[in-house]
Amino acid sequence: MRYIVTSPWWLRLLFPPGMIWHMPGLEKIIYLTFDDGPHPTVTPFVLDSLKEFEARATFFCIGNNVDKYPEIYKRILDEGHRTGNHTQSHLNARKVSNSKWVDDVKEAAKRINSNLFRPPYGVIRRNGATALFKQNPPYRIVLWDVLSGDFDPALSAEQCTKNVVANAKSGSIVVFHDSAKAWPRLEGTLPAVLKYYSERGFRFEAIE
């Protein structure tokens, strides 16, 4: 599995302009994000872990999973977290037409009331980004500057933790996944990351 844990400047040049890669680093704040939920086991664990550290986060949800687990989606919002659109069916923008991809985003928007969007697999075409920027209100397309790697079955929880603590700093947007695939690593990594940064005076906020 090939991917880059951090997002260097040259990688960002390959994407359409206007993407959000990190937040202002003026304060000791880390922005944890969770993709692909809600999930009936993993998302409650994430919410319980966040509550223990008085942390807020951003959940980029798949519309189909919101349909399956509306009560968990409601809990995310009720506990003060932010949600974002991650398409209705997790489409890869490289593998479908732009119109089908945009329609999938619009379908998810019927369930997810948010102007935040993260493209599945981190893949977005220029014309897809343009279409989202033209929506009313326009979407804020959120990528990241640190990948935990929790989706990678070749990694251990310890390595995923190391990926985060070696790279995340004030203003960093960090990617986790509240999914069955990530669960074997997330279960150990998330509490360790929350503890590490909390002990160093950081707090965790949602992307507004």
Side-chain angles (χ1 to χ4, degrees):
M1 189 175 294
R2 298 178 61 185
Y3 54 90
I4 301 174
V5 171
T6 59
S7 303
W9 65 268
W10 56 264
L11 177 65
R12 301 177 193 188
L13 295 178
L14 303 178
F15 282 77
M19 308 290 105
I20 298 170
W21 294 91
H22 58 82
M23 301 298 283
L26 302 178
E27 299 181 67
K28 296 178 76 171
I29 301 173
I30 300 289
Y31 296 85
L32 303 182
T33 65
F34 298 87
D35 290 3
D36 297 353
H39 183 277
T41 302
V42 186
T43 307
F45 165 81
V46 170
L47 292 170
D48 290 344
S49 299
L50 294 173
K51 185 181 293 185
E52 182 179 348
F53 288 88
E54 298 182 350
R56 294 176 65 240
T58 307
F59 291 77
F60 288 94
C61 298
I62 296 172
N64 284 336
N65 288 339
V66 174
D67 288 339
K68 291 176 186 175
Y69 310 111
E71 71 288 349
I72 301 176
Y73 182 77
K74 182 176 183 297
R75 182 183 166 189
I76 293 171
L77 295 172
D78 287 348
E79 295 189 6
H81 305 289
R82 185 86 191 270
T83 59
N85 188 322
H86 200 46
T87 74
Q88 180 66 16
S89 50
H90 208 256
L91 292 184
N92 187 328
R94 287 200 189 102
K95 297 183 178 181
V96 296
S97 68
N98 190 61
S99 60
K100 182 175 182 178
W101 186 84
V102 171
D103 285 345
D104 206 59
V105 176
K106 291 179 178 178
E107 186 64 28
K110 297 175 183 177
R111 298 139 175 90
I112 302 163
N113 182 22
S114 174
N115 70 328
L116 299 180
F117 176 78
R118 174 172 285 160
Y121 311 102
V123 175
I124 189 165
R125 294 174 174 173
R126 190 171 296 270
N127 54 357
T130 299
L132 297 191
F133 288 144
K134 288 182 177 179
Q135 298 299 307
N136 186 22
Y139 278 98
R140 301 179 70 204
I141 302 174
V142 181
L143 293 172
W144 57 81
D145 61 340
V146 180
L147 275 175
S148 67
D150 61 351
F151 55 86
D152 186 349
L155 297 186
S156 64
E158 290 76 17
Q159 182 58 55
C160 292
T161 302
K162 193 176 297 183
N163 286 345
V164 177
V165 302
N167 295 289
K169 54 188 181 297
S170 298
S172 283
I173 298 173
V174 182
V175 179
F176 292 104
H177 296 77
D178 51 333
S179 66
K181 183 178 181 179
W183 175 238
R185 289 153 295 281
L186 183 70
E187 185 178 16
T189 299
L190 179 59
V193 167
L194 287 165
K195 182 174 185 291
Y196 178 89
Y197 283 101
S198 293
E199 288 176 347
R200 286 156 179 79
F202 283 80
R203 68 181 193 272
F204 304 92
E205 296 291 349
I207 298 170
E208 300 298 342

